[in-house]
Amino acid sequence: TPRLPHAHLRPTRWRAPRQANNDTVRVQSIQQAVTEDDLEYTDLRHISEAMIDTGADVSVISQRLVETHNIPFNVTKGTLLLAGDNNKVNRIGTTHPLLIHYNYKTIYHAFEIMNLPDQIDLYLGMDLIPTLGIYIGGLAVQWSDQITSVKEKAVDDHPPEPNDSPAGTQEEQKTFHTTLQSYVKANQSIPTTSFCPLDISIVTLPTTNTPSDKVNYRQYPIPHKLFPVVDQAVQTWLADGTIVRAPVNTSWNSPITLAPKKDEFGQATGKRPCLDPRHINKFIPDDNYPLPLIRDIFQKLAGSTVFTTLDLKSAFHRFLIHPDDQHKTTFTHNGRQYMFQGCPFGLKPLSAKFQRVMHFIFDDMPYGHTFVDDVIIHSANMTDHMKHVTKAIQKLTAANLILNPKKCHFAQKSVYLLGFCITAKGTYLDKRKLSNIQAWPTPQTGHDIQKFLGIVNYFREHIPNLDLPT
């Protein structure tokens, strides 16, 4: 392998790792290996094994590897403090920044050089482990003389599979589903043209526009191959009573847009037509009804062993827009104007309105919690759970909120909820969401950075040392 040119090693936007105030860094014992198949750096692909060292402040490269491949480095004075009392070695130096590819990430990094055993090429320390997205559970994070008397929680190496881990015995599951069948059937018999009968569910749109404000916007161009998708959506909305013909003298018009439809793994599967309500929202005051904190919901699940998540079908369409405001949702399709009776997704007051109604419906059910249209029922045992889920479905049926049984998950040991996996032993990250984050494109603008930090902040309680880079 030829000597690497300095111009290749020094990208213009690269910034050197932050150095400690003194010349001493700490390198602790080896914790766990990472396979060589995923690791490479700047034309040096002969790595036999790289070890993860969660107690090391810096990442280390073998002196043998540096000499073999003529890797340029800077001589550095000082000492390295190893695990154990007064165990020091003199520093050799640090490499010039090397290009690292790992798990779809590409970064530059300068390694500390040490005399390592022949079979070891690299130690990955805490200056690289979080950056590369490597997370390990159940490892020691303190020196032996720093360990307190607090007992660390046991790590479950084989948690139940979310949404596919039936709770109780086979007989209890059979009894549960047999009992539930009539209540689900009654719910499914709700006419799709019906609306929630609760007065607090009626959506008003008290717009503040003036006669000079523009409220009429032309339809966006729609790709020809997607015309059938829009046609089908409009016909479904008409059949369900979600939309009706608009009056001929309406001054409002908003475009239909096509939002990406994604599966449970976040992969795009098609397009979903929906109203673009931005031109309406800018004239509507905020509804400040508070949404629950997700961590508060999780805390209330403590002590439960059985979980059910309920999915609502076209839930927002069940909320009637006040007749005086329906014309404000007008859109044009095939030369005809329609307006929404049932509330379309995206209107500013909708999330707060829906949460208010769900809190009202589940007010006397401490075992049922909602975050907008996400519903979870939890219980300590199967007997109680059958009663709890039955009552929850009855409540939803009385409010004309229709379940989507194919997306409901009944009486499980573990379920997915709001980007997390719920079990009797606590919560952990939904791996499907982590895959989406790992494939997140590199931010190019300030708005891109805001979006990325938003998703990172959502999972901040499960990301170690998050305060360091942010």
Side-chain angles (χ1 to χ4, degrees):
T1 303
R3 183 183 178 92
L4 301 174
H6 291 196
H8 177 68
L9 291 171
R10 295 185 181 277
T12 56
R13 301 184 64 181
W14 179 84
R15 186 173 62 185
R18 185 177 302 170
Q19 298 293 329
N21 293 331
N22 54 50
D23 291 329
T24 299
V25 293
R26 176 171 285 183
V27 181
Q28 203 176 336
S29 58
I30 306 306
Q31 302 291 344
Q32 183 171 326
V34 60
T35 60
E36 68 276 8
D37 292 338
D38 293 330
L39 190 62
E40 65 181 33
Y41 61 96
T42 312
D43 294 339
L44 301 177
R45 307 188 184 187
H46 308 288
I47 297 175
S48 60
E49 191 170 9
M51 308 298 288
I52 290 179
D53 185 354
T54 59
D57 292 339
V58 297
S59 297
V60 177
I61 189 171
S62 168
Q63 182 180 11
R64 166 186 45 79
L65 200 67
V66 171
E67 294 175 347
T68 301
H69 296 286
N70 295 321
I71 300 175
F73 66 94
N74 298 320
V75 176
T76 308
K77 295 182 179 181
T79 59
L80 296 174
L81 177 62
L82 306 180
D85 295 333
N86 299 319
N87 191 4
K88 298 180 180 180
V89 296
N90 291 326
R91 298 179 71 178
I92 298 172
T94 56
T95 68
H96 288 193
L98 302 180
L99 185 63
I100 302 174
H101 300 291
Y102 178 81
N103 198 21
Y104 305 105
K105 296 179 176 64
T106 301
I107 63 172
Y108 286 86
H109 190 77
F111 287 83
E112 185 78 29
I113 302 171
M114 283 187 64
N115 186 12
L116 302 179
D118 290 340
Q119 69 274 21
I120 303 297
D121 290 331
L122 290 175
Y123 288 162
L124 299 184
M126 291 307 296
D127 56 343
L128 271 181
I129 291 173
T131 305
L132 296 176
I134 300 172
Y135 301 101
I136 307 171
L139 299 180
V141 295
Q142 292 175 304
W143 296 84
S144 57
D145 56 355
Q146 295 174 329
I147 297 177
T148 64
S149 59
V150 178
K151 185 177 181 180
E152 186 178 351
K153 294 181 179 179
V155 176
D156 189 356
D157 292 330
H158 301 286
E161 183 67 24
N163 296 348
D164 191 23
S165 53
T169 64
Q170 290 185 353
E171 186 64 31
E172 287 176 322
Q173 280 283 325
K174 182 178 179 179
T175 301
F176 177 88
H177 287 281
T178 301
T179 303
L180 218 61
Q181 187 173 4
S182 61
Y183 297 98
V184 173
K185 184 177 181 180
N187 178 271
Q188 296 299 286
S189 67
I190 298 173
T192 57
T193 55
S194 61
F195 297 99
C196 179
L198 300 175
D199 290 340
I200 61 173
S201 71
I202 297 177
V203 178
T204 58
L205 305 175
T207 51
T208 59
N209 60 297
T210 65
S212 62
D213 290 322
K214 183 177 180 181
V215 295
N216 192 299
Y217 291 83
R218 293 179 61 86
Q219 173 60 46
Y220 306 136
I222 296 176
H224 180 74
K225 67 178 182 179
L226 293 178
F227 277 179
V229 177
V230 180
D231 287 337
Q232 181 60 47
V234 171
Q235 293 304 315
T236 300
W237 292 340
L238 278 170
D240 291 345
T242 303
I243 61 174
V244 294
R245 291 291 296 271
V248 295
N249 60 345
T250 180
S251 60
W252 291 76
N253 194 83
S254 293
I256 290 293
T257 187
L258 294 163
K261 183 189 298 185
K262 298 181 179 180
D263 60 17
E264 60 181 339
F265 298 98
Q267 302 299 318
T269 59
K271 296 290 186 179
R272 176 186 292 111
C274 57
L275 187 72
D276 183 350
R278 292 176 293 177
H279 314 305
I280 309 171
N281 286 341
K282 63 184 180 182
F283 298 119
I284 301 177
D286 293 330
D287 185 341
N288 295 320
Y289 188 83
L291 299 181
L293 295 176
I294 294 175
R295 64 172 177 267
D296 290 345
I297 295 177
F298 291 165
Q299 289 174 357
K300 293 174 182 177
L301 304 180
S304 299
T305 62
V306 191
F307 307 93
T308 287
T309 54
L310 302 176
D311 185 84
L312 302 177
K313 183 179 181 181
S314 302
F316 296 155
H317 291 171
R318 305 275 75 78
F319 280 24
L320 180 69
I321 299 176
H322 195 282
D324 293 342
D325 293 322
Q326 290 178 8
H327 70 283
K328 299 175 183 178
T329 65
T330 297
F331 67 94
T332 303
H333 178 66
N334 281 342
R336 297 179 180 178
Q337 285 192 305
Y338 304 90
M339 63 183 184
F340 280 86
Q341 286 190 121
C343 198
F345 179 80
L347 282 178
K348 183 189 290 187
L350 189 53
S351 293
K353 171 71 72 173
F354 204 93
Q355 188 66 60
R356 183 184 286 109
V357 172
M358 296 299 277
H359 275 166
F360 179 83
I361 293 174
F362 287 90
D363 181 57
D364 61 343
M365 298 175 59
Y367 43 81
H369 305 289
T370 66
F371 186 88
V372 191
D373 59 339
D374 287 289
V375 182
I376 184 168
I377 312 299
H378 59 101
S379 313
N381 53 67
M382 285 291 289
T383 301
D384 289 343
H385 199 62
M386 183 168 60
K387 299 176 183 176
H388 295 164
V389 176
T390 297
K391 185 174 181 179
I393 295 177
Q394 287 178 307
K395 289 268 194 175
L396 293 171
T397 302
N400 285 343
L401 296 178
I402 304 174
L403 294 173
N404 184 355
K406 292 182 180 179
K407 293 186 178 181
C408 295
H409 299 280
F410 296 101
Q412 300 288 313
K413 296 178 183 177
S414 176
V415 292
Y416 291 118
L417 182 68
L418 301 172
F420 294 87
C421 303
I422 309 299
T423 71
K425 295 184 178 180
T427 63
Y428 59 95
L429 291 178
D430 181 349
K431 295 180 181 179
R432 302 173 304 177
K433 303 299 180 184
L434 292 179
S435 298
N436 294 341
I437 295 176
Q438 288 179 334
W440 197 282
T442 302
Q444 302 295 328
T445 66
H447 183 60
D448 291 344
I449 294 174
Q450 286 181 324
K451 291 195 295 184
F452 180 71
L453 289 179
I455 190 68
V456 170
N457 186 62
Y458 187 81
F459 297 111
R460 66 178 302 113
E461 294 185 7
H462 296 261
I463 303 176
N465 302 319
L466 180 62
D467 57 327
L468 297 180
T470 57

